[in-house]
Amino acid sequence: MSLVRRLSNETLHLVPTAIETPAYDRPGARIGVVHFGPGAFHRAHQAWYFDEMLKAGGDFAVSAVAVRSGEVEDALGPQDGLYALAEREAEPRLRVIGALKEVLTAPRAPDRVLARLADPSVRIVTSTVTEKGYCLTPAGDLDLAHPDIRRDLQGAGHPASFPGWLVAGLAARRAAGHPPFVAVSCDNLSDNGSRLRRAVVQLADAKGDRGLAAWIAAEARFPSTMVDSITPATDDELREKVRRELGLEDAWPVQRERFVQWVVEDELDADAAAFAAAGVTLTHDVAAFEKAKLRLLNGAHSTLAYVGLRLGHETVAQAMGDARLAGFVERMMRQDIAASLPAAQGLDLSAYVAAVLARFRNPAIAHRLAQIAWDGSQKLPFRILETTAEALAAGRPLERLAVPVAAWMLFVRTRARTDEAITDPMADTLLDLGRRLTGEPAADVEAMLALPAIFPPALSADPRYRAAAAAAYVKLDTDPASALGA
Ligand code: CS2
């Protein structure tokens, strides 16, 4: 048994003074935010911003709600919601974050979750439920065939889906005569706010509550956002480092680079000033930032992941140390992706590319490519395929943009052949398909492109795109480096 005590309210005073701990009146701070999906990214990003806002004296304590799994509650409940955040840089920094005042698991405590959502002192509901949590079809409508949405439509019991919780919370507020909360999506989806709005309004409507749907459409705000900070998954090395430096056990510390960015569409009314003071950029043109980040940073990330794994690399920094791959990714960003981005005020794309590449090289961060490779079926459409469809329509080259997609196809094929699991909501379909791929490029590419949940018809039906994907596929299969020469 470990003799080291666990981080909690009771032991917080034992943390060495060089490490920042919540110095604000934590017991007195009111819960003003509900957050869905308190995984590592939320706790390293938005919770840090809310900690800053709490320091400044605002009512921004968070009730963190896991939609399904009890893991976070089991780790942080005994710690009174406290956890360590490590900034991994040449000069590292550690801080104890106190923003999470309550950690709930929706299926365990549905009434408490609902009560929080209905509470008028909760003004903001943020979310990081990943792309799949929005339950959308490729066209961006609510997926009425999704098992959780079907359960929500049957109406028995408590909500199952994330949109279901928002609808239930908004219905309770409307019934009580309270204004809606502002729903702030913090996931890597293009136009995330509008997508969330559509899912929620369509669910209220599909439940047969036209009045509620109309009220949400008219009254509720769903600002779009861009969120950014590289956050590798927690591993034993981090747990050990935190134990050593804190002198206390933390069941689930989190880590990120020092860089953080949060751009939010300016619809926060009275809370806007507190957000701005904490360093959040409020703007009316979030789309340009969002697209640039999603296509350049996340697109490059997914490319490094699938191509890097193919070349035998394990982390982003290692993949960036491979000059052929780093050069390829930079050319793809500067020549293919940047061409798809609108000019935006305050956004210098060339400087942005350079800054992103420098962040990828951060030697203090071990960001595993296998982590980024998760959920490819959900990520590729926003990260690469939208860019590709626009390049196709504009007659721009497709060769480089086809490489990450072909590398993902090979990733699926390899995993299927070696009978290894993949983390992806479409895992069963993908592995099934992967087992049937023979290595014949045209046939394999055609079989993969025939997945309409991933590939829009404009791409899958286009001979130019099919040829580019098949060419990349065969090169990556037989001589991966040759795919990077372009
Ligand atoms: C990464 C992102 O895991 C992934 O897919 O591309 O989590 C990325 O690190 C963040 O979006 C950076 O803000």
Side-chain angles (χ1 to χ4, degrees):
M1 210 189 109
S2 165
L3 295 176
V4 181
R5 295 178 70 190
R6 184 96 173 251
L7 173 65
S8 71
N9 283 341
E10 205 186 305
T11 58
L12 189 58
H13 69 281
L14 299 172
V15 173
T17 47
I19 297 173
E20 182 175 349
T21 56
Y24 49 86
D25 173 18
R26 201 168 173 248
R30 292 252 296 270
I31 291 185
V33 179
V34 171
H35 178 82
F36 281 88
F41 186 73
H42 164 70
R43 294 194 285 120
H45 185 276
Q46 303 100 61
W48 174 85
Y49 280 99
F50 289 129
D51 212 46
E52 290 287 295
M53 296 183 215
L54 285 159
K55 265 162 77 175
D59 279 329
F60 289 98
V62 178
S63 169
V65 179
V67 179
R68 222 178 293 275
S69 149
E71 267 178 297
V72 181
E73 184 185 351
D74 295 344
L76 299 191
Q79 299 181 185
D80 302 310
L82 296 166
Y83 62 91
L85 167 65
E87 289 181 10
R88 312 300 300 258
E89 298 286 340
E91 281 177 40
R93 215 156 44 200
L94 202 58
R95 162 164 169 179
V96 175
I97 302 289
L100 270 49
K101 220 178 142 167
E102 173 174 89
V103 185
L104 303 174
T105 310
R108 289 185 192 165
D111 296 333
R112 288 182 66 192
V113 174
L114 207 51
R116 277 292 171 216
L117 289 170
D119 178 354
S121 40
V122 166
R123 306 170 309 279
I124 292 164
V125 175
T126 49
S127 53
T128 47
V129 292
T130 78
E131 296 84 347
K132 56 184 176 280
Y134 292 76
C135 309
L136 298 169
T137 66
D141 288 310
L142 184 71
D143 181 2
L144 296 172
H146 191 291
D148 290 346
I149 298 298
R150 281 168 54 182
R151 270 190 50 194
D152 287 347
L153 287 174
Q154 278 156 12
H158 294 288
S161 70
F162 163 59
W165 280 107
L166 293 194
V167 169
L170 288 164
R173 291 173 88 106
R174 179 168 175 249
H178 299 316
F181 43 70
V182 181
V184 185
S185 165
C186 301
D187 281 292
N188 287 320
L189 285 75
S190 55
D191 229 355
N192 48 14
S194 317
R195 284 178 196 269
L196 180 56
R197 168 196 295 276
R198 215 151 131 195
V200 170
V201 171
Q202 288 183 353
L203 181 57
D205 198 51
K207 282 167 88 75
D209 196 339
R210 291 270 151 77
L212 176 64
W215 182 75
I216 297 173
E219 305 286 329
R221 270 150 311 143
F222 295 83
S224 280
T225 67
M226 182 270 251
V227 289
D228 191 10
S229 190
I230 289 173
T231 308
T234 301
D235 53 16
D236 287 343
E237 184 264 339
L238 176 67
R239 284 198 187 85
E240 179 49 39
K241 172 186 158 72
V242 167
R243 181 187 305 123
R244 217 173 37 240
E245 293 182 27
L246 232 54
L248 296 169
E249 190 87 43
D250 178 350
W252 199 343
V254 295
Q255 57 183 342
R256 63 159 161 81
E257 60 184 333
R258 182 150 300 141
F259 177 91
V260 274
Q261 193 176 17
W262 195 4
V263 184
V264 180
E265 207 174 346
D266 195 354
E267 294 189 310
L268 295 173
D269 295 344
D271 288 319
F275 271 66
V280 177
T281 305
L282 297 167
T283 170
H284 289 293
D285 186 16
V286 78
F289 286 90
E290 215 188 346
K291 259 194 185 163
K293 190 263 173 171
L294 204 49
R295 294 183 179 190
L296 286 169
L297 188 152
N298 296 111
H301 243 177
S302 291
T303 306
L304 288 166
Y306 297 118
V307 181
L309 287 170
R310 185 88 204 140
L311 293 168
H313 302 302
E314 272 187 33
T315 67
V316 173
Q318 272 170 16
M320 287 297 294
D322 181 334
R324 295 161 308 176
L325 179 49
F328 172 82
V329 166
E330 180 162 1
R331 285 194 297 283
M332 187 176 87
M333 291 167 89
R334 291 193 185 279
Q335 293 172 34
D336 304 298
I337 304 178
S340 77
L341 296 169
Q345 228 185 3
L347 189 62
D348 173 344
L349 287 180
S350 178
Y352 186 69
V353 170
V356 165
L357 292 170
R359 290 165 59 198
F360 287 172
R361 292 198 163 91
N362 181 345
I365 284 205
H367 196 188
R368 289 170 41 79
L369 299 174
Q371 179 191 339
I372 301 168
W374 285 8
D375 288 358
S377 71
Q378 314 293 301
K379 291 174 176 174
L380 287 174
F382 296 116
R383 296 178 176 205
I384 302 282
L385 301 179
E386 283 181 1
T387 312
T388 312
E390 286 175 24
L392 179 67
R396 289 193 295 267
L398 304 174
E399 286 66 30
R400 272 187 293 260
L401 291 168
V403 169
V405 179
W408 169 75
M409 292 176 179
L410 279 163
F411 167 81
V412 171
R413 193 186 86 187
T414 309
R415 293 292 181 104
R417 283 189 181 169
T418 52
D419 228 3
E420 274 176 279
I422 54 176
T423 304
D424 194 301
M426 288 183 67
D428 291 346
T429 310
L430 293 175
L431 291 176
D432 204 42
L433 189 56
R435 275 183 221 106
R436 286 187 275 123
L437 301 180
T438 61
E440 203 288 299
D444 284 5
V445 163
E446 193 174 327
M448 295 293 278
L449 289 181
L451 291 167
I454 304 176
F455 296 97
L459 280 183
S460 53
D462 185 81
R464 250 183 85 209
Y465 184 62
R466 282 153 65 150
Y473 185 83
V474 77
K475 283 185 192 162
L476 286 165
D477 199 10
T478 50
D479 174 16
S482 69
L484 306 179

